[in-house]
Amino acid sequence: MSETTTAAEVAAPHRYTAALAADIEARWQDFWEEKGTYEAPNPTGDLAGDAELVARPKKFIMDMFPYPSGAGLHVGHPLGFIATDVYARYQRMTGHNVLHTLGFDAFGLPAEQYAVQTGTHPRVSTEANIVNMRRQLRRLGLGHDQRRSVETIDPAYYKWTQWIFLQIFNSWYDPEADAARPIDTLVAQFEAGTRQTPDGRPWSELSAVERANVLGEYRLAYASDAPVNWCPGLGTVLANEEVTADGRSERGNYPVFKAKLRQWNMRITAYADRLLRDLDALDWPDAIKLQQRNWIGRSEGARVDFPVGDEKITVFTTRQDTLFGATYMVLAPEHPLIAGAEDGDGTGSLVPDAWPEGTHEVWTGGHATPADAVAAYRKQAASKSDVERQAEAKDKTGVFTGVHATNPVSGEQVPVFIADYVLMGYGTGAIMAVPAHDTRDFAFARAFELPMRCVVEPTDGRGTDPAAWDDAFASYDAKIVNSSGADISLDGLGVTEAKAKITEWLAARGIGEGTVNYRLRDWLFSRQRYWGEPFPIVYDEAGVAHALPESMLPLELPEVEDYSPRTFDADDADTQPETPLSRNEDWVNVTLDLGDGAGPRSYRRETNTMPNWAGSCWYELRYLDPNNADKLVDPDVEQYWMGPREGQPHGGVDLYVGGAEHAVLHLLYARFWSKVLHDLGHVSSAEPFHKLYNQGMIQAYVYRDSRGIAVPAAEVEEHDGGVFYYEGGKVSRLLGKMGKSLKNAVTPDEICAEYGADTLRLYEMAMGPLDVSRPWDTRAVVGQYRLLQRLWRNVVDEATGEVTVVDAEPDDATLRALHKAIDGVTQDMANLRFNTAIAKVTELNNHLTKTGGPVSRTVAEQLVLLIAPLAPHIAEELWRRLGHTGSVVHADFPVADPAYVVDETVTCVVQIKGKVKARLEVAPSISDADLEAAALAEPAVVAALNGAGIRKVIVRAPKLVNIVPA
Ligand code: ANZ
C-alpha cells in the first residue's frame, strides 16, 4: 500500500479501485494472450483448429483499420473498436465462431512528411508508431486474434497488393460476360480474327508496340496520357476522390490543376453499373448508399451526331427531346477535334484559317484568326480547376471556333464554340446547347448574343419568347412545341414520349442512340511518392510495359538516401512531378529474365508508387489467411468466412464499422477490387462488406483565449458562470474535434490509469447511441466506475475479499428484474444499442444493491455474463471467483425466461349485473377486446350466465368488465 492510503482503503482493502482494476486487467490480458482466447480457427490451413468452433455459424466483425499516427490514440479513436469488440464478444457467447482482429494501414503521406521534417526513415517512425498503438489497444482489452493482424507495409502483405495489381493489369472487361476476364482471352479473339484490330490489320502483322497499345485500351489497369489532377504543392497527382468540391487537395488544401501526364489508371468505370446495382442488396446506411449512387452518377440520355463537313461532333445529352432548340454547340477546350490549332499544324483540327463571313465581334475574343482565339482560350482554361469551370454563377467565357455544324433534325447551321463550362472528362466533351431550357446555356447565349428557341412550353405563364425571359425554363413536366421537321414532329408530346420518339428516329438513321453516361471516372492510381507500394511493372527499350512474374514478388521498396517528395510552388501549374524512386538509377535500371521467352533484357522500373488506398482495398481477405505464402487467400477459407449466403447474396464481412468520411474513397475502391477478384475466380464474395455501420464522433470542447488561440483544456477552470484559463482571462468554449492541435486530447492511457479499461469501455459505450456524435466529459467517467464498484460489492466482500453470494433461490421480484434485463440486453446487443444495454445492467445491479443482503449465486452469475461483453476484465475476474474454471469469453450468454419477462399482472374484476363473479390476472396493457373475450370465456362467467344472451358488455381495461345479460 502506498503512503497515501486512506481510511476507507484500510477499512475496505478489497474495494474495486483503479489499482485493483489495473491488476485484474493486466492479469487477464496476459492470460488471454497466453491461451490464445480470441483465436478464431479456420476450416483448413495453418490457422485450422477446434472443429467444434468451426462448425458453429461464423461472424466476421471488422473495424476500418487505423493509420498509425505519431500522436497515438486519443479517446475518440477507439469508440468503434470498443463497439465491435462488445459485439464480437456477444456473438462469441451466443454460439458463433467470431473473427475479430485489427491491422494497420501504414503507407501514406503523414509518415513521409514526418520523415522529411525529422530525417527519420518512414519505416522506422511507422514501426515505432505501430508498437505504441498496439500497446494502447491491448490496454483496452480488445479481443483480437493477433495472429491475423496485418500491416500494409509488410513486404509479405504488399506482395499480394502487387499481385492483385497484376491480376487487374492482366485482365479486361468483357461486356458479353459482364465480367473481367484474363487478357489472354482477348488476345485469342484478336488472333482468331473474331475481334477486329482498330485499323483492321491482322493481329500477327502488328508490332509489339502496336499490340501493347491496343491491349492498353482494354486492360483494367492501364497507363494513359489523359489530363490528371496535378497538385504542385504536394508534388503528386491525385484521384478525383481526393480533390475537394473547391478543386483543392483534400489533404493540405493546395490548388489542383489539370495536366497531361502519363499515369496509371484503374478502369473502375467498367464496373459502374454493377457497383450501382449491387448496392441494393447491401445493409448499409442509406446516406452512404446515396453518396455512392451520386458519385457513380448514372444519367440516361442519348448520343447525337452533328455533321461538320466530313467529320461529325458527337454530343451527350439527357434532353434529346429539346434537339430542335439546339441553336449552337460547345466543345470542351481540350476536345480533340480542335486540338493542334495552337501548333498551327492543323492536325485533327476543324478550325478554319479565317473567321467566316459575318462573324459576330464578341465571338472572336478580339483575335485575328480562329486558330489564335482557340489557342489563347485553351491556355487560359488549362489553369483552372473543373470546379471553377463549372460554377453556375460565374460569367460564361468562350470563343467561336469558326466552325459550323448541322443540327440533324432542323437542318440548321449552328455555330460551334469552345467554352470551359464543358468538361472533356464527361460524356463526349461536347454539347448541343439549348439556351431556352438549360441555365448555363442561357447565360452563355445572353453573353454571346446567340439565338434561343423555346421548344418546351412554359407552364408558368412567361410565354414562348425567350427574349423576354430572365432565365431558362428547365422542366421535365411540360409539352414540346416548335419541334416539327421534314419527317418528324414532337409537338404536343410530353418529355418522356418525345425522348423515346426522337431517340428512335436518330437510331433509325444511324446518327444517334440512347445511352447511359456515368459521372464516375477511372481511378488515377499513381503517386509521386516514396512511401507506397512499388508497381510490379518494368518497361522495355520500346517503352512497352511488362508485368513482373509472380516469382519476382514482392518487389520491395529500395532503401534510399533521399525519400522526400519533390514539391513545388503550389500555384505553379506549369511544373512537372518527380518521383523519389527515379533518383535511384541502380534500382531503376535492371536486367531481368521475365520468363516470357525473351531471355535476359534490360528494363527500366516504374518509379511511381501506388496510392495509400491500395493496401486497404483488400485487407479483409488477408485477415482470413494471413500467412498463406502461395495464395492471396485459400478459397475454402474465404468461402467459410465471406462467401454468399442467405440474406447476403454477394457475401462479405458481417459487420464493418468505421467513419462516414470513407463513403466514396475506400468503400468504392474496395468494392471494385472485390468484384475483379470475384470475376477472376479468386474469391466467392463479390462484395467486401455486407453490413456497414458508421459510428459517431467523440467531440470535445475547444477553449480559446481572446486572441482565438486554443488553450489546454485540462488547465481551464469553470467558475462564476464563466470559463477561465489560469494565465488570466476568460476563454470561449465550443464543441469541436478532439486532437493534439486543439489542445483538448484525452488519451485512453490517462483514463485507464485513473479508472481502468473496463470503466473507459463502459463510458464510451454509455455516452449515447453509437451512430451519434457525443461530447467527451472526463468528469462523467466516474459514473461508470461506480457501477463497477457496486457490481463488485454485490459479489465480493470489500473487507475480506470473500465471495458473498449464497445458494438461496432469488425472490420473485429479483427474478423479474433479472429476466427483464436479460431480455432487454440481448436485444440491445444484437442491434448495437450498447448505451441502453448498459442502462439495463445498471438497473438490475441497483435492484440488487437496494434489496440488500447477499445476492443469490444464479443472479450474480447471470449479471456477470450480461456485462462480460462490455467490461470483460472484471467479468472474467468475478467469473473465476464464482468458481468457474473456463473463461467467461466462451461462456453462454444468459437466456431470458419468458415467464418472468411478461409485465406483472393486474387483477380484473368481472361482474354480472354489478355482482362480482370472477377475478382474472391480466397484463396491464391488455386491450378492451382481449379483456372482453377473456372474461366471456372464464368458466365461472359462462356458468353464471347459464346460456342467457348478452345485451351489453362494459369494459374498462385492465380492471373491470361488467356484463349485462339479455
Ligand atoms: C442538352 C440539354 C438541354 C441539356 C437541356 C440539359 C438541359 P447530367 O444530368 O449531369 O448527366 N453536358 C453533357 N456533357 C457535358 C460536359 N462534358 N460538360 C458540361 N456539360 C455537359 O447532365 C447532362 C447534361 O449536361 C447534358 O444534357 C448536357 O446538356 C450537359 F434543356 O444537353 B444537356
Side-chain angles (χ1 to χ4, degrees):
M1 268 182 235
S2 72
E3 297 165 80
T4 55
T5 306
T6 62
E9 279 166 353
V10 174
H14 298 279
R15 170 171 298 196
Y16 184 80
T17 59
L20 181 59
D23 169 56
I24 291 173
E25 290 172 1
R27 254 192 300 115
W28 288 111
Q29 284 163 11
D30 291 345
F31 174 90
W32 294 328
E33 186 174 289
E34 203 176 293
K35 297 274 191 254
T37 305
Y38 303 108
E39 292 178 1
N42 277 348
T44 59
D46 72 321
L47 301 189
D50 196 337
E52 190 274 322
L53 268 181
V54 174
R56 295 180 179 193
K58 63 88 192 183
K59 282 277 179 210
F60 184 4
I61 299 163
M62 231 175 104
D63 297 281
M64 291 186 187
F65 63 168
Y67 178 81
S69 115
L73 297 177
H74 61 59
V75 290
H77 294 120
L79 179 70
F81 304 158
I82 296 171
T84 52
D85 189 56
V86 174
Y87 186 70
R89 288 172 183 278
Y90 169 73
Q91 294 296 343
R92 268 186 212 105
M93 293 175 76
T94 50
H96 295 90
N97 186 22
V98 174
L99 199 170
H100 187 44
T101 189
L102 193 71
F104 293 90
D105 188 14
F107 274 128
L109 206 55
E112 204 165 73
Q113 283 171 338
Y114 182 77
V116 173
Q117 280 159 21
T118 62
T120 334
H121 192 282
R123 178 170 296 285
V124 173
S125 59
T126 307
E127 298 282 8
N129 294 346
I130 290 176
V131 168
N132 182 45
M133 257 200 199
R134 282 194 190 281
R135 175 192 62 75
Q136 287 187 300
L137 292 167
R138 186 178 188 277
R139 182 69 189 87
L140 298 176
L142 301 173
H144 294 153
D145 183 344
Q146 288 299 345
R147 305 168 308 166
R148 298 175 184 269
S149 173
V150 299
E151 296 172 10
T152 55
I153 55 172
D154 180 355
Y157 180 90
Y158 71 67
K159 165 181 174 173
W160 295 103
T161 311
Q162 292 172 332
W163 181 87
I164 297 170
F165 174 85
L166 292 181
Q167 298 299 308
I168 300 173
F169 173 71
N170 280 320
S171 55
W172 65 297
Y173 204 85
D174 180 352
E176 262 165 49
D178 197 14
R181 296 216 287 145
I183 199 82
D184 295 348
T185 60
L186 179 72
V187 174
Q189 291 182 5
F190 281 126
E191 277 170 349
T194 50
R195 182 179 289 269
Q196 288 278 301
T197 58
D199 62 6
R201 279 184 298 152
W203 184 249
S204 56
E205 285 178 17
L206 266 54
S207 70
V209 175
E210 286 169 329
R211 287 181 184 181
N213 288 341
V214 172
L215 295 181
E217 296 296 315
Y218 290 87
R219 290 183 191 275
L220 288 182
Y222 64 97
S224 106
D225 295 310
V228 294
N229 304 306
W230 162 234
C231 179
L234 287 176
T236 185
V237 297
L238 297 170
N240 284 358
E241 288 81 0
E242 292 168 312
V243 180
T244 66
D246 316 326
R248 301 178 80 90
S249 61
E250 181 149 75
R251 193 171 264 291
N253 199 34
Y254 295 110
V256 173
F257 303 96
K258 280 276 174 241
K260 264 186 112 173
L261 295 167
R262 192 159 183 82
Q263 300 291 332
W264 284 94
N265 288 273
M266 292 264 167
R267 209 177 295 279
I268 189 172
T269 49
Y271 281 85
D273 208 38
R274 281 170 64 193
L275 288 168
L276 200 59
R277 256 188 289 150
D278 290 354
L279 274 177
D280 292 341
L282 298 182
D283 185 357
W284 284 21
D286 287 339
I288 302 279
K289 284 192 183 186
L290 185 67
Q291 284 185 66
Q292 286 219 347
R293 288 201 178 98
N294 289 344
W295 189 261
I296 296 167
R298 185 178 195 277
S299 289
E300 268 181 47
R303 282 175 197 257
V304 184
D305 294 339
F306 283 63
V308 187
D310 299 337
E311 306 246 22
K312 63 182 186 201
I313 299 174
T314 305
V315 303
F316 169 70
T317 175
T318 49
R319 292 301 299 268
Q320 59 271 37
D321 54 305
T322 63
L323 189 50
F324 280 94
T327 52
Y328 69 98
M329 301 183 81
V330 185
L331 306 181
E334 303 84 1
H335 199 286
L337 281 178
I338 44 136
E342 63 267 54
D343 311 330
D345 66 359
T347 329
S349 175
L350 294 172
V351 178
D353 294 336
W355 293 116
E357 193 78 25
T359 295
H360 206 305
E361 225 189 278
V362 288
W363 295 5
T364 66
H367 291 280
T369 65
D372 285 350
V374 166
Y377 191 76
R378 279 162 58 93
K379 191 149 187 247
Q380 174 192 331
S383 65
K384 285 193 207 160
S385 73
D386 281 3
V387 183
E388 280 168 350
R389 289 172 49 166
Q390 287 251 297
E392 294 260 342
K394 89 171 182 47
D395 291 341
K396 294 284 174 284
T397 65
V399 285
F400 180 40
T401 60
V403 179
H404 281 88
T406 312
N407 180 320
V409 65
S410 69
E412 272 168 3
Q413 289 293 298
V414 294
V416 179
F417 282 72
I418 58 173
D420 62 7
Y421 77 98
V422 173
L423 303 177
M424 196 56 226
Y426 190 73
T428 59
I431 66 158
M432 62 181 218
V434 185
H437 306 294
D438 179 276
T439 318
R440 290 173 304 172
D441 297 345
F442 186 92
F444 190 87
R446 272 283 149 90
F448 288 86
E449 299 177 34
L450 286 153
M452 303 194 198
R453 181 182 304 132
C454 171
V455 294
V456 183
E457 190 168 38
T459 47
D460 55 5
R462 62 166 81 186
T464 53
D465 180 10
W469 299 354
D470 295 333
D471 56 10
F473 176 72
S475 170
Y476 274 85
D477 200 15
K479 280 210 175 70
I480 304 295
V481 291
N482 290 332
S483 295
S484 289
D487 53 358
I488 181 166
S489 172
L490 304 176
D491 289 338
L493 297 178
V495 169
T496 313
E497 297 90 20
K499 276 192 182 182
K501 188 167 177 184
I502 189 74
T503 309
E504 200 179 302
W505 185 88
L506 291 164
R509 279 155 188 77
I511 53 171
E513 57 179 353
T515 175
V516 175
N517 192 59
Y518 295 94
R519 188 177 166 265
L520 183 69
R521 296 278 73 102
D522 280 344
W523 172 19
L524 184 85
F525 199 71
S526 354
R527 298 292 181 277
Q528 289 74 46
R529 292 281 157 209
Y530 170 73
W531 195 229
E533 299 87 348
F535 280 76
I537 291 284
V538 290
Y539 298 94
D540 65 23
E541 273 147 10
V544 174
H546 296 263
L548 290 182
E550 202 178 317
S551 60
M552 290 186 188
L553 302 185
L555 171 62
E556 293 200 33
L557 262 180
E559 289 304 320
V560 301
E561 289 284 304
D562 178 10
Y563 35 76
S564 55
R566 171 95 193 272
T567 59
F568 303 88
D569 174 356
D571 296 310
D572 189 354
D574 292 333
T575 45
Q576 287 269 330
E578 177 192 299
T579 58
L581 289 180
S582 67
R583 298 177 202 134
N584 303 277
E585 286 296 321
D586 292 353
W587 182 79
V588 174
N589 297 309
V590 281
T591 302
L592 298 172
D593 183 349
L594 300 181
D596 55 1
R601 291 204 292 169
S602 38
Y603 297 97
R604 271 185 76 75
R605 291 194 194 278
E606 169 64 59
T607 61
N608 283 291
T609 52
M610 298 188 197
N612 60 325
W613 309 105
S616 59
C617 268
W618 68 281
Y619 70 121
E620 72 285 354
L621 293 170
R622 200 58 182 171
Y623 281 166
L624 306 180
D625 203 6
N627 309 320
N628 197 328
D630 307 323
K631 282 203 170 93
L632 171 79
V633 54
D634 179 292
D636 290 337
V637 171
E638 187 274 336
Q639 166 75 44
Y640 173 82
W641 289 110
M642 287 186 61
R645 60 202 65 215
E646 174 100 43
Q648 304 185 2
H650 309 299
V653 171
D654 297 289
L655 176 67
Y656 191 37
V657 173
E661 67 276 16
H662 290 296
V664 289
L665 290 153
H666 160 59
L667 288 172
L668 197 62
Y669 299 152
R671 293 184 63 213
F672 163 51
W673 279 34
S674 169
K675 290 191 183 307
V676 179
L677 290 171
H678 170 80
D679 288 356
L680 298 176
H682 300 301
V683 296
S684 66
S685 48
E687 284 286 341
F689 313 114
H690 174 70
K691 182 178 170 75
L692 174 72
Y693 189 95
N694 297 128
Q695 89 274 18
M697 283 234 299
I698 289 191
Q699 300 165 307
Y701 285 113
V702 184
Y703 298 92
R704 293 181 192 277
D705 64 17
S706 55
R707 295 166 301 168
I709 294 175
V711 303
E715 293 168 28
V716 299
E717 273 176 24
E718 245 174 283
H719 53 80
D720 305 325
V723 193
F724 298 87
Y725 181 46
Y726 74 95
E727 281 187 347
K730 210 165 162 167
V731 295
S732 70
R733 188 174 84 165
L734 264 181
L735 210 50
K737 274 181 93 157
M738 184 177 278
K740 234 183 176 177
S741 60
L742 296 172
K743 299 189 184 149
N744 60 359
V746 177
T747 65
D749 310 56
E750 297 165 49
I751 303 297
C752 286
E754 194 153 348
Y755 300 106
D758 281 338
T759 296
L760 173 64
R761 293 170 60 108
L762 277 177
Y763 175 67
E764 295 220 357
M765 293 300 98
M767 286 168 82
L770 186 58
D771 56 351
V772 173
S773 292
R774 66 286 295 285
W776 177 266
D777 181 3
T778 298
R779 287 165 308 181
V781 178
V782 71
Q784 298 304 324
Y785 181 57
R786 297 212 178 100
L787 165 67
L788 293 180
Q789 288 186 314
R790 283 195 299 273
L791 167 70
W792 183 260
R793 213 178 292 138
N794 279 330
V795 181
V796 178
D797 186 311
E798 292 186 337
T800 65
E802 295 296 313
V803 170
T804 54
V805 300
V806 292
D807 285 330
E809 269 300 297
D811 61 30
D812 203 59
T814 300
L815 281 173
R816 284 189 191 285
L818 172 67
H819 287 281
K820 269 193 173 173
I822 296 174
D823 183 54
V825 171
T826 303
Q827 291 173 36
D828 289 343
M829 286 280 177
N831 293 297
L832 306 170
R833 293 191 304 250
F834 305 127
N835 57 326
T836 51
I838 292 169
K840 285 162 191 155
V841 170
T842 308
E843 205 178 310
L844 173 63
N845 195 47
N846 289 349
H847 171 88
L848 300 178
T849 307
K850 249 186 274 152
T851 314
V855 174
S856 149
R857 167 176 293 277
T858 59
V859 179
E861 290 193 344
Q862 299 197 64
L863 173 59
V864 166
L865 293 170
L866 280 184
I867 207 168
L870 293 153
H873 309 89
I874 191 173
E876 191 77 285
E877 178 73 14
L878 291 174
W879 192 242
R880 180 58 62 96
R881 290 193 186 210
L882 284 164
H884 297 274
T885 48
S887 165
V888 77
V889 171
H890 288 287
D892 289 337
F893 203 73
V895 177
D897 180 344
Y900 292 105
V901 175
V902 288
D903 290 334
E904 287 182 46
T905 55
V906 292
T907 306
C908 171
V909 174
V910 186
Q911 301 173 333
I912 296 179
K913 283 200 283 188
K915 287 204 181 108
V916 176
K917 294 290 171 190
R919 286 176 210 277
L920 304 176
E921 289 301 308
V922 297
S925 58
I926 193 163
S927 68
D928 281 359
D930 287 352
L931 187 58
E932 178 176 333
L936 292 175
E938 181 67 18
V941 175
V942 175
L945 283 172
N946 196 18
I950 293 165
R951 188 145 67 92
K952 201 156 96 179
V953 183
I954 300 150
V955 187
R956 298 274 177 272
K959 295 239 165 108
L960 177 79
V961 178
N962 191 5
I963 301 165
V964 185

